Every structure is written in structure tokens, then in C-alpha cells.
Amino acid sequence: MSSSTDWPLWEVFVRSRRGLSHTHAGSLHAPDAEMALRNARDLYTRRSEGVSLWVVPSTEITASSPDEKDSFFEPAGDKPYRHPTFYEIPEGVKHL
Amino acid sequence: MTAALALGDDALVLSHRLGEWAGHAPVLEEEVALANIALDLLGQARMLLSFVGDEDQLAYLREERAFRNVQLVEQPNGDFAHTMARQLYFSVYQHLLYEELAAGEGEFADLAAKAVKEVAYHRDHAEQWVLRLGDGTAESHERMQLGLDALWRFTGELFEPVGGVDIDRSALSDRWLAAVTSVVERATLTVPSGPQSGAWAAGAGRQGLHTEPFGRMLAEMQHLHRSHPGASW
Amino acid sequence: MAAVTADQTTQGTAGTAEEAEAAHLATFDAAVAADDRIEPRDWMPEAYRASLVRQMAQHAHSEIIGMQPEANWISRAPSLRRKAILMAKVQDEAGHGLYLYSAAETLGTSREELLDKLHAGRQRYSSIFNYPTLTWADVGAIGWLVDGAAITNQVPLCRCSYGPYARAMVRICKEESFHQRQGYELLLALSHGTPAQHEMAQDAVNRWWWPSLMMFGPPDDASAHSAQSMAWKIKRHSNDELRRRFVDICVPQAQVLGLSLPDPDIRWNEKLGQHDYGAIDWTEFQEVLKGNGPCNEQRLTQRRKAHEEGAWVRDAAAAYADKHSARPGTAGAAAQPVEATA
């Protein structure tokens, strides 16, 4: 019963208002990029949720693997000197 | 108020027809798209009818002969290609018309300025689908051509004069034909060659003469409202 | 929601297969216990995956089959305002079906596959949609009772342990908040309208009340999947717990409506601080579940028909995309994000 030509999956990113980045909103099926954009408009912005859209074929996304998460993300955990709260500044010093 | 009634009835009737697709669309994404268009049109209809009187009285209590919509919009949905042919013919017309109204200073300028954005999207939606169906598979090509051919004779009526809408009808007709031809040819289809109106029916919808399916559509639309005279919902 | 599907996951290499499995399970259990979310590429027990797919599919199917009983009244809505509301609502249901199929796709099950299973009768949808909408008031009763029951079920799902499902539910619950209100408002107008309208409203509530209570599923002691789903935090409350919460909510709402609930045994239980209610006819529930409800055949037939009649349209668009090389994974695919500014 299934069609031999299933439409590919697309990821939809919505900019909710000017000045903000596009955020992942969800996905949908479309035969091509033009239709994906239109379907995204109808589906993900019908309550005025956006001012701009990106659509990306799901297969084009490369993701980090959960198995590598230790080597990917943990090394950043012991470098608190990258955060401003690491430094003690005498009281009363302003504009720092 | 002839114009508000004519344009309002166009939007109301087409919205109703598109609403009949709910639950029957070829793919879920298209359920959402068709409903969006139907809702835009219904919103336009309600504003236009309210220029004339009470929207529900006008929608539910008029007889068939009092409706002023063109016959094109009352034509049954047929298959998806048939519906897209109807959408293409009507939305190109409506887009060109509303652009002019929005630029003018008539009583519909504000309404047209809002509606023209919606209608531009309807036109784009129809064009995208006519391209895909025309230049898709052999079957879709054939169905799309059938749809265009079947509805062609209802297109002449779009350019009949409407009291209160002061625009150059023949220029509108030329621009419409050029726009439709461009899409149809890019879709590898043929612009129908027959007459754009039946001999007896030129401008008939605007004068309250409709086609047989319209009476049945109204019967369904009005039945419940008419069964409870004076009730509020 | 389906950025990366589970089948793309690469497995770790350390230790024997059993050791790795045990380590994975420990990580998974700890994440669930800590109320952390499980994401698509995380390792998860096969049974958890199967259970999720089953539940999300059933949920998605319910949304799209659920369009039918309400769409049945779009062409006859008695005012233009009501017509617009109903169209927007049925449209939302298509949208919600879409969100949920997308969530299911993150587990590597395609929408096409799930639809095929639905069409073949191998996956279920909520039995409530096998009841017919006989009058306009049924649209109101569905909004108030059926959507009300659905919301009671769904709100806890926003905290479900599986990330994509929880996120889909957040969006759905936000959008559905108008669904129940419009139904209640519709019934209120009828109840305070003409005697004929009032009667129509009461009749609808009489017919939809019991099936709505059945929507929470079999009693806890007879529910096949409940216990495991609760442990995995796919489910957060038991069937009976949610059902009782729903009854407690509905009783005062019915009073404001001026309509009665068709259960003479409903009364406030001072000691327990909740309402008692009468026995549910589980035979009816089982019969409808088995396919013997009033509309099972009709609903599935219409769904199959829409799908089959749409095949040439879907094929055409795919063929067009191939010809114009606009499909992802083919040469010339849109590598740049296409931007539309509204």
C-alpha cells in the first residue's frame, strides 16, 4: 500500500522574531525544498510563531554520538576560568 | 453593496468547498495547507459580508438565486488536480484584483491590503502544485490537464463587470491570461483553447444563476441553521 | 524532531557485548531515575523503544482518525464563527498527527510504515473515534469531554522520559487549550438556547460521557502495559487515577452548563475527598476495541481511501523533485538553507 516514492524528512528551524536565532521546531515530509518551506510555514507558524524559516534535509545533519559524549563534552567541565564567576574582584570596583 | 456581496460570496463558497477536503487530503501536510487557505477565505468572506449585513443571515438564509458568487468557486472539488485547477484560476484572478483594490481608494482598499497577502500565498500554493502535477508523472499530467480543461469555461465570468468595483476588466483579463499561461506552460501543460464561458451562462453567477451542484451544497450548508429559526449558536 | 534517527547510532567497543549492555542499561536506568530525558541516539532497552513507538503511533493515529467525526460537521456548522473554529480545530488535529509521527520517526520508524500498519488494522487508534457524531452538539461534547479526557491524559506526557515525545506534547497541549474551551462554549450556547438545542446538548453528553471515561483505558488491575510504562516514566499516572481526576473536574463543569451526567451513582465522597461514580461497561469497551464499534469500519475505510487516492499526488511531487534534482541526497540538492521572511 505504501508509495514507492516516500517524501524525505526535513528539519524545520524557526526564527520567532527578529534578533533571535533560528531554533529547531520539528520536522515534516516534503518532496523538495520549496514545498518543505511552504509546509513548514503552514505547520509551524500558523499561530504567528515565526518571521523566518530554514528547512534542512534530515539526512544532511551530522550529529555527535552519545557514546562520544565523555570525550566531546567533559573536558570542558574542569575549566572554570572560562567563566567570569571564577574571578574575585574587590567590592566597589565597577564596570568589570 | 453588490461588490461586497459578490466578492464575499466568492470567498465563502470557495472556503466551503476547500473545507470539504478535511480528512481527505493526499498527505497530512496538505490537510494543513488546504485548511489554512479555507480559513483565510472564510475570514475574508465574513468581513465582506459584514459590509452588507449580518454574516449569518446572509450565509444561511439566502436562497440560491440570491448568491452572487462566480460559478467557478461552486464547482465540486473533483480530484486534487481539479481542485488545484480551480485554485489556480481563482487565486490568480483574486490576487490581481485585490492588488488593484489595495492600491486604489475604494471602500475595500483596507480589506484588500490585508487579504492580498493571504491571496498571494494561495496563488503560490496553486502554482507550485500545478507545476508538480503537470510535470510529475504521466498520470498526474493527464489529470491536471483534465482539470484545467474542465473548468476553463467558467473563467470568462471572472471578468464580467461587478457594480462598485471600478477597474479595467479587460486589462485584468489580459494579465490573468498571461499569468496562467506562464504557469501552465512551465508545467508542460496546454492552455485550454475552448470558449471561456458557456453561451447561456456569461456572468450568470453574478446575477444569481448557478450550476446544479450549488443547490446541493447550500442545502447541506444551511440545513442546520434553518432548522432552528431564531436560535443562536 | 527527527534530527538523527536511532539506526545511525554507533555502538561503543569496550568490553564484551553483555558488559556493554549492562553498562548501557545502568546509564539508562539512572537517567530515567534522575528525571533526565532520553534522546533519540541514546541507548535504550528494546522494550522501551517498542513501547514508545506503539504509544506514539497510537497517539498519532488517534489524531488523524479523530479528524473524521468532527470534519463531518464542517460543512454544516450553523454559524460562520463556528465554522471557522471547527476548521481550525480539525486542522490542528492534522498538525498534531504530524508532530507525533515526527516524534516516532526519531526512533527510526517511518510515517509511511506506521500508516501502513494503521491501514492494515495492525496498530490502534483511540476507540472513542469509533462513535458517530450524530448532531451538532456532538462537536461540543467531543471538545468538552473527549478533548478534556485527552488533555488530562496528555498533560503528564509533557514530562515523559522520551525527549521528542515530551516536546511534541508540550506543543500539542499548548495548541489544544482552545479545543476544550470551544467545545464547552458551544455546549453552553446550546444548553441556554432553545429547548430543542438544550435537548440536543443533553443527548450528546449522554452519549459521549461513558465512552470518554473509557478513554483512560482499562482499570489498573487489568491494564497490560501500565506498570512498565510507569516505571519508565513514559506514563506518569495510572489509568484509574487520571479517570477519577477527570470525573472530579467534570462534575462542577456540568453544573455550570446546566446539563446532567448520565450516571446516577455520581456523588461526592466526603471521606475520600473525591467523587464516586458508577460502574463502566467494559464489555462495550472490549467490543469497540475488537472492531465492533459503530464506525470502526467506516473510519478505517475513509482513511485508506484518502491515502490510496492521494498516492498519485505524492508520486507526482516526488517525480517532479527527481526531475528537477531538488531532492536531498541527489546532485544539486538545496545545500543552502532557503530563507523565507514572513
Side-chain angles (χ1 to χ4, degrees):
Chain A
M1 214 185 316
S2 114
S3 152
S4 55
T5 43
D6 297 346
W7 292 355
L9 193 65
W10 300 75
E11 299 304 318
V12 179
F13 298 81
V14 180
R15 183 202 293 288
S16 57
R17 58 187 166 83
R18 299 181 61 84
L20 297 181
S21 356
H22 287 76
T23 351
H24 187 234
S27 58
L28 48 76
H29 287 265
D32 54 51
E34 287 176 309
M35 292 304 277
L37 203 52
R38 286 160 178 81
N39 292 345
R41 177 261 194 194
D42 285 329
L43 185 62
Y44 288 105
T45 67
R46 68 188 190 282
R47 284 180 167 84
S48 314
E49 294 98 330
V51 295
S52 165
L53 287 168
W54 289 349
V55 290
V56 184
S58 304
T59 50
E60 296 293 312
I61 291 181
T62 310
S64 62
S65 156
D67 293 323
E68 288 158 2
K69 76 170 179 248
D70 292 354
S71 59
F72 259 60
F73 306 116
E74 267 185 25
D78 65 351
K79 298 177 180 66
Y81 42 81
R82 284 188 171 125
H83 302 277
T85 46
F86 182 73
Y87 304 93
E88 275 182 42
I89 302 292
E91 256 180 64
V93 177
K94 290 177 183 165
H95 307 299
L96 256 181
Chain B
M1 284 287 119
T2 336
L5 210 52
L7 304 183
D9 284 349
D10 282 351
L12 174 67
V13 172
L14 187 55
S15 164
H16 183 96
R17 283 297 190 206
L18 290 173
E20 291 173 354
W21 271 104
H24 301 269
V27 65
L28 274 178
E29 280 81 359
E30 207 50 36
E31 291 279 358
V32 183
L34 291 169
N36 265 353
I37 298 173
L39 283 167
D40 285 343
L41 288 165
L42 185 52
Q44 293 165 16
R46 295 178 66 188
M47 283 170 71
L48 284 158
L49 293 180
S50 68
F51 277 112
V52 185
D54 178 81
E55 59 176 35
D56 285 336
Q57 274 190 19
L58 288 164
Y60 292 98
L61 298 175
R62 269 183 300 159
E63 297 292 322
E64 180 178 335
R65 294 294 309 274
F67 276 80
R68 290 290 177 266
N69 54 285
V70 289
Q71 294 177 351
L72 175 65
V73 294
E74 76 204 30
Q75 297 311 306
N77 288 336
D79 65 9
F80 189 70
H82 198 87
T83 292
M84 285 305 114
R86 193 182 62 199
Q87 284 302 108
L88 179 73
Y89 290 158
F90 186 76
S91 63
V92 171
Y93 152 80
Q94 202 191 11
H95 186 228
L96 295 172
L97 174 70
Y98 277 31
E99 267 184 342
E100 283 210 32
L101 293 177
E105 285 167 0
E107 54 182 330
F108 304 126
D110 288 347
L111 181 143
K114 176 182 180 290
V116 78
K117 294 177 200 152
E118 299 170 348
V119 175
Y121 192 80
H122 305 172
R123 175 179 172 177
D124 173 73
H125 176 265
E127 290 180 356
Q128 296 296 335
W129 272 114
V130 171
L131 287 176
R132 279 161 183 75
L133 298 182
D135 195 13
T137 62
E139 180 182 7
S140 71
H141 179 90
E142 190 190 340
R143 286 177 183 260
M144 195 62 240
Q145 189 65 56
L146 282 173
L148 291 173
D149 292 348
L151 293 169
W152 184 250
R153 67 193 181 85
F154 296 104
T155 57
E157 193 187 357
L158 297 171
F159 311 104
E160 292 295 321
V162 176
V165 176
D166 183 24
I167 59 163
D168 183 344
R169 293 267 147 191
S170 103
L172 180 69
S173 166
D174 291 346
R175 289 170 62 211
W176 179 88
L177 185 61
V180 167
T181 302
S182 155
V183 178
V184 169
E185 287 179 352
R186 271 190 292 143
T188 71
L189 297 157
T190 313
V191 177
S193 53
Q196 276 181 273
S197 56
W200 65 275
R206 298 286 188 225
Q207 289 144 35
L209 276 175
H210 295 278
T211 53
E212 284 184 353
F214 188 50
R216 205 162 284 113
M217 188 202 107
L218 283 187
E220 186 173 333
M221 184 174 104
Q222 297 181 334
H223 166 261
L224 175 60
H225 185 99
R226 284 179 182 260
S227 303
H228 299 262
S232 349
W233 301 94
Chain C
M1 282 164 223
V4 177
T5 53
D7 50 30
Q8 289 168 279
T9 306
T10 49
Q11 295 297 328
T13 47
T16 65
E18 290 94 63
E19 280 169 21
E21 173 97 4
H24 279 314
L25 186 60
T27 314
F28 171 86
D29 285 342
V32 171
D35 262 343
D36 219 355
R37 295 286 179 271
I38 305 300
E39 294 296 342
R41 301 189 68 196
D42 292 340
W43 183 93
M44 58 189 88
E46 270 317 304
Y48 175 84
R49 178 188 302 275
S51 188
L52 271 173
V53 170
R54 181 183 55 78
Q55 190 177 332
M56 287 192 280
Q58 176 167 340
H59 199 158
H61 298 334
S62 302
E63 293 283 354
I64 59 167
I65 294 279
M67 295 169 71
Q68 291 183 31
E70 291 180 281
N72 184 34
W73 282 92
I74 291 178
S75 63
R76 293 176 287 174
S79 75
L80 296 186
R81 177 174 173 271
R82 292 284 175 206
K83 197 183 181 88
I85 292 169
L86 187 54
M87 264 203 261
K89 181 173 189 257
V90 174
Q91 179 193 41
D92 271 352
E93 279 149 18
H96 297 170
L98 268 166
Y99 303 154
L100 290 161
Y101 285 122
S102 296
E105 284 189 88
T106 60
L107 293 176
T109 322
S110 75
R111 189 203 298 177
E112 203 65 29
E113 199 179 323
L114 295 177
L115 283 176
D116 282 350
K117 284 186 179 154
L118 167 68
H119 297 152
R122 290 195 288 127
Q123 275 180 344
R124 289 196 167 123
Y125 55 89
S126 176
S127 272
I128 192 80
F129 302 117
N130 289 320
Y131 290 88
T133 47
L134 301 179
T135 73
W136 170 250
D138 290 29
V139 173
I142 288 184
W144 177 42
L145 296 174
V146 175
D147 291 330
I151 290 168
T152 310
N153 262 326
Q154 286 169 3
V155 167
L157 285 175
C158 298
R159 297 187 296 123
C160 154
S161 61
Y162 187 58
Y165 193 18
R167 289 192 287 277
M169 291 316 303
V170 168
R171 185 179 275 271
I172 289 173
C173 286
K174 210 188 284 176
E175 296 187 353
E176 275 201 349
S177 50
F178 100 79
H179 292 188
Q180 195 188 12
R181 288 176 81 107
Q182 66 82 33
Y184 192 80
E185 188 208 60
L186 191 163
L187 285 177
L188 197 65
L190 294 180
S191 175
H192 294 105
T194 66
Q197 285 178 306
H198 182 90
E199 194 184 325
M200 193 193 282
Q202 185 61 61
D203 167 61
V205 169
N206 291 349
R207 280 182 289 111
W208 288 93
W209 173 251
W210 290 108
S212 300
L213 289 190
M214 295 177 200
M215 281 176 72
F216 294 92
D220 294 347
D221 49 24
S223 174
H225 306 287
S226 269
Q228 182 60 70
S229 288
M230 299 258 297
W232 279 332
K233 296 188 184 171
I234 292 176
K235 235 173 125 159
R236 293 274 183 168
H237 304 278
S238 81
N239 295 351
D240 286 332
E241 206 179 325
L242 290 170
R243 185 166 16 242
R244 187 169 297 284
R245 186 182 296 177
F246 178 68
V247 173
D248 285 340
I249 291 170
C250 286
V251 170
Q253 288 177 348
Q255 281 164 357
V256 176
L257 276 178
L259 298 172
S260 61
L261 298 173
D263 178 359
D265 296 329
I266 289 187
R267 63 179 55 86
W268 179 250
N269 182 325
E270 196 69 55
K271 211 168 84 199
L272 297 174
Q274 60 192 24
H275 288 90
D276 293 332
Y277 55 92
I280 294 171
D281 179 2
W282 292 110
T283 326
E284 176 181 319
F285 178 78
Q286 293 301 342
E287 281 301 307
V288 179
L289 206 60
K290 269 192 274 175
N292 300 327
C295 300
N296 299 55
E297 193 59 38
Q298 177 190 333
R299 299 285 186 245
L300 215 46
T301 303
Q302 183 185 322
R303 181 84 267 295
R304 280 194 207 109
K305 186 163 171 277
H307 191 72
E308 281 160 19
E309 288 180 353
W312 69 269
V313 177
R314 298 190 298 276
D315 288 347
Y320 177 90
D322 281 339
K323 281 187 211 176
H324 296 264
S325 297
R327 269 160 91 85
T330 61
Q336 305 265 322
V338 192
E339 184 149 0
T341 336

PDB file of all heavy atoms in Angstrom, chain C residues 6 37 133 168 184 208 223 248 272 280 286 292:
ATOM      1  N   ALA C   6      17.673   6.727  15.254  1.00  0.00           N
ATOM      2  CA  ALA C   6      18.408   5.840  16.142  1.00  0.00           C
ATOM      3  C   ALA C   6      19.305   4.866  15.385  1.00  0.00           C
ATOM      4  O   ALA C   6      20.348   4.477  15.875  1.00  0.00           O
ATOM      5  CB  ALA C   6      17.432   5.071  17.015  1.00  0.00           C
ATOM      6  N   ARG C  37      16.025  13.331  30.448  1.00  0.00           N
ATOM      7  CA  ARG C  37      15.334  12.873  29.244  1.00  0.00           C
ATOM      8  C   ARG C  37      16.198  11.905  28.445  1.00  0.00           C
ATOM      9  O   ARG C  37      17.418  12.072  28.370  1.00  0.00           O
ATOM     10  CB  ARG C  37      14.977  14.059  28.349  1.00  0.00           C
ATOM     11  CG  ARG C  37      13.970  15.015  28.963  1.00  0.00           C
ATOM     12  CD  ARG C  37      12.566  14.412  28.963  1.00  0.00           C
ATOM     13  NE  ARG C  37      11.615  15.325  29.583  1.00  0.00           N
ATOM     14  CZ  ARG C  37      11.322  15.360  30.880  1.00  0.00           C
ATOM     15  NH1 ARG C  37      11.899  14.506  31.700  1.00  0.00           N
ATOM     16  NH2 ARG C  37      10.469  16.229  31.359  1.00  0.00           N
ATOM     17  N   THR C 133     -20.747  11.087  15.138  1.00  0.00           N
ATOM     18  CA  THR C 133     -21.238  12.412  15.525  1.00  0.00           C
ATOM     19  C   THR C 133     -22.599  12.615  14.862  1.00  0.00           C
ATOM     20  O   THR C 133     -22.683  12.894  13.666  1.00  0.00           O
ATOM     21  CB  THR C 133     -20.278  13.529  15.069  1.00  0.00           C
ATOM     22  OG1 THR C 133     -19.907  13.306  13.705  1.00  0.00           O
ATOM     23  CG2 THR C 133     -19.025  13.571  15.923  1.00  0.00           C
ATOM     24  N   ALA C 168       6.933  17.168  21.715  1.00  0.00           N
ATOM     25  CA  ALA C 168       5.737  17.208  20.860  1.00  0.00           C
ATOM     26  C   ALA C 168       4.506  17.477  21.712  1.00  0.00           C
ATOM     27  O   ALA C 168       3.623  18.253  21.342  1.00  0.00           O
ATOM     28  CB  ALA C 168       5.583  15.885  20.104  1.00  0.00           C
ATOM     29  N   TYR C 184     -16.801  23.503  25.210  1.00  0.00           N
ATOM     30  CA  TYR C 184     -17.597  23.881  26.373  1.00  0.00           C
ATOM     31  C   TYR C 184     -18.487  25.073  26.041  1.00  0.00           C
ATOM     32  O   TYR C 184     -19.686  25.088  26.354  1.00  0.00           O
ATOM     33  CB  TYR C 184     -16.655  24.232  27.532  1.00  0.00           C
ATOM     34  CG  TYR C 184     -17.342  24.362  28.866  1.00  0.00           C
ATOM     35  CD1 TYR C 184     -17.677  23.224  29.606  1.00  0.00           C
ATOM     36  CD2 TYR C 184     -17.652  25.609  29.397  1.00  0.00           C
ATOM     37  CE1 TYR C 184     -18.306  23.333  30.836  1.00  0.00           C
ATOM     38  CE2 TYR C 184     -18.284  25.734  30.630  1.00  0.00           C
ATOM     39  CZ  TYR C 184     -18.608  24.588  31.344  1.00  0.00           C
ATOM     40  OH  TYR C 184     -19.229  24.701  32.564  1.00  0.00           O
ATOM     41  N   TRP C 208     -21.750  10.684  24.971  1.00  0.00           N
ATOM     42  CA  TRP C 208     -20.282  10.753  24.988  1.00  0.00           C
ATOM     43  C   TRP C 208     -19.657  10.553  26.367  1.00  0.00           C
ATOM     44  O   TRP C 208     -18.459  10.339  26.481  1.00  0.00           O
ATOM     45  CB  TRP C 208     -19.805  12.084  24.386  1.00  0.00           C
ATOM     46  CG  TRP C 208     -20.010  12.119  22.902  1.00  0.00           C
ATOM     47  CD1 TRP C 208     -21.095  12.616  22.233  1.00  0.00           C
ATOM     48  CD2 TRP C 208     -19.138  11.593  21.887  1.00  0.00           C
ATOM     49  NE1 TRP C 208     -20.947  12.438  20.879  1.00  0.00           N
ATOM     50  CE2 TRP C 208     -19.753  11.819  20.642  1.00  0.00           C
ATOM     51  CE3 TRP C 208     -17.887  10.949  21.922  1.00  0.00           C
ATOM     52  CZ2 TRP C 208     -19.168  11.414  19.432  1.00  0.00           C
ATOM     53  CZ3 TRP C 208     -17.304  10.572  20.719  1.00  0.00           C
ATOM     54  CH2 TRP C 208     -17.949  10.807  19.494  1.00  0.00           C
ATOM     55  N   SER C 223      -4.721  -3.546  33.173  1.00  0.00           N
ATOM     56  CA  SER C 223      -4.016  -2.839  32.109  1.00  0.00           C
ATOM     57  C   SER C 223      -2.671  -3.497  31.808  1.00  0.00           C
ATOM     58  O   SER C 223      -1.799  -3.587  32.659  1.00  0.00           O
ATOM     59  CB  SER C 223      -3.805  -1.378  32.509  1.00  0.00           C
ATOM     60  OG  SER C 223      -3.019  -0.723  31.552  1.00  0.00           O
ATOM     61  N   ASP C 248     -13.781  14.333  38.686  1.00  0.00           N
ATOM     62  CA  ASP C 248     -13.808  15.451  39.639  1.00  0.00           C
ATOM     63  C   ASP C 248     -13.862  16.803  38.929  1.00  0.00           C
ATOM     64  O   ASP C 248     -14.504  17.738  39.397  1.00  0.00           O
ATOM     65  CB  ASP C 248     -12.567  15.403  40.550  1.00  0.00           C
ATOM     66  CG  ASP C 248     -12.680  14.316  41.613  1.00  0.00           C
ATOM     67  OD1 ASP C 248     -13.821  13.872  41.883  1.00  0.00           O
ATOM     68  OD2 ASP C 248     -11.640  13.899  42.160  1.00  0.00           O
ATOM     69  N   LEU C 272     -13.153  10.432  51.121  1.00  0.00           N
ATOM     70  CA  LEU C 272     -12.020  10.336  50.196  1.00  0.00           C
ATOM     71  C   LEU C 272     -11.699  11.672  49.535  1.00  0.00           C
ATOM     72  O   LEU C 272     -10.661  11.814  48.889  1.00  0.00           O
ATOM     73  CB  LEU C 272     -12.300   9.278  49.124  1.00  0.00           C
ATOM     74  CG  LEU C 272     -12.460   7.838  49.640  1.00  0.00           C
ATOM     75  CD1 LEU C 272     -12.888   6.906  48.523  1.00  0.00           C
ATOM     76  CD2 LEU C 272     -11.146   7.352  50.258  1.00  0.00           C
ATOM     77  N   ILE C 280     -18.316   1.096  34.944  1.00  0.00           N
ATOM     78  CA  ILE C 280     -18.156   1.270  33.494  1.00  0.00           C
ATOM     79  C   ILE C 280     -18.420  -0.060  32.798  1.00  0.00           C
ATOM     80  O   ILE C 280     -18.008  -1.117  33.271  1.00  0.00           O
ATOM     81  CB  ILE C 280     -16.728   1.773  33.189  1.00  0.00           C
ATOM     82  CG1 ILE C 280     -16.552   3.186  33.765  1.00  0.00           C
ATOM     83  CG2 ILE C 280     -16.436   1.748  31.697  1.00  0.00           C
ATOM     84  CD1 ILE C 280     -15.141   3.710  33.712  1.00  0.00           C
ATOM     85  N   GLN C 286     -14.481  -3.405  25.217  1.00  0.00           N
ATOM     86  CA  GLN C 286     -13.782  -4.504  24.540  1.00  0.00           C
ATOM     87  C   GLN C 286     -14.333  -4.736  23.143  1.00  0.00           C
ATOM     88  O   GLN C 286     -13.588  -5.016  22.205  1.00  0.00           O
ATOM     89  CB  GLN C 286     -13.884  -5.802  25.368  1.00  0.00           C
ATOM     90  CG  GLN C 286     -13.138  -5.757  26.700  1.00  0.00           C
ATOM     91  CD  GLN C 286     -11.640  -5.489  26.551  1.00  0.00           C
ATOM     92  OE1 GLN C 286     -11.067  -5.652  25.466  1.00  0.00           O
ATOM     93  NE2 GLN C 286     -10.993  -5.020  27.622  1.00  0.00           N
ATOM     94  N   ASN C 292     -15.917  -3.831  16.730  1.00  0.00           N
ATOM     95  CA  ASN C 292     -17.375  -3.888  16.617  1.00  0.00           C
ATOM     96  C   ASN C 292     -18.077  -2.606  17.042  1.00  0.00           C
ATOM     97  O   ASN C 292     -19.257  -2.608  17.349  1.00  0.00           O
ATOM     98  CB  ASN C 292     -17.919  -5.076  17.424  1.00  0.00           C
ATOM     99  CG  ASN C 292     -17.347  -6.386  16.920  1.00  0.00           C
ATOM    100  OD1 ASN C 292     -17.092  -6.528  15.714  1.00  0.00           O
ATOM    101  ND2 ASN C 292     -17.110  -7.322  17.819  1.00  0.00           N
TER     102      ASN C 292
END
